[in-house]
Amino acid sequence: MSKRIYVGNLSYSTTQETLENVFSQYGELVSATLIIDRDTQQSKGFGFVEFVNDADAEAAISAQGGKELDGRKIRVNVAEEKQERRPRFNGNGESNGFRQNRGPRRFDREGNGRNW
């Protein structure tokens, strides 16, 4: 079974290839993903590495935790499972309680919604 690890406090100059190269020396990787901001296309400073073997992931955590990578001490630990988020709207286009007790929604001349 594969094990996913979190790698945080990365430099913004760290690339996905760097992440792959550093962690591939501990075992076979399933994937190495650097998280990128969709608007700026800049690294968010963290990523995830998934190993084929759990023992390789543990070796990488103990060896790389607190070490420097591109001038920053990185944080490496077991990744937590992503929690499911509650949907913002139901199937009818109505909100699920996010606008309760906030008054009517009105629009200004440009069509931007506001609470008045």
Side-chain angles (χ1 to χ4, degrees):
M1 183 173 173
S2 64
K3 189 171 212 173
R4 200 170 139 116
I5 63 174
Y6 164 84
V7 184
N9 200 35
L10 293 171
S11 168
Y12 292 133
S13 64
T14 302
T15 64
Q16 189 159 323
E17 291 78 28
T18 304
L19 207 58
E20 288 175 12
N21 291 337
V22 168
F23 287 94
S24 64
Q25 58 188 317
Y26 298 101
E28 186 179 348
L29 300 181
V30 174
S31 65
T33 308
L34 186 64
I35 305 303
I36 305 292
D37 184 275
R38 72 179 109 157
D39 296 328
T40 64
Q41 299 302 310
Q42 183 180 10
S43 166
K44 287 192 169 188
F46 68 97
F48 298 94
V49 179
E50 189 171 359
F51 285 88
V52 172
N53 187 342
D54 288 356
D56 296 340
E58 290 297 330
I61 290 170
S62 61
Q64 286 296 318
K67 283 217 172 159
E68 252 188 51
L69 179 63
D70 292 336
R72 298 193 61 153
K73 284 189 178 181
I74 61 173
R75 183 174 166 210
V76 183
N77 52 17
V78 176
E80 295 178 9
E81 291 295 318
K82 187 174 182 179
Q83 294 180 357
E84 193 169 320
R85 295 168 80 184
R86 161 178 121 172
R88 291 184 181 202
F89 296 95
N90 64 18
N92 299 327
E94 300 169 353
S95 76
N96 290 332
F98 284 94
R99 297 190 42 78
Q100 290 179 346
N101 301 325
R102 287 212 241 150
R105 186 161 179 104
R106 297 191 179 125
F107 297 89
D108 60 16
R109 291 181 184 159
E110 288 80 35
N112 299 319
R114 299 183 164 204
N115 291 321
W116 299 87

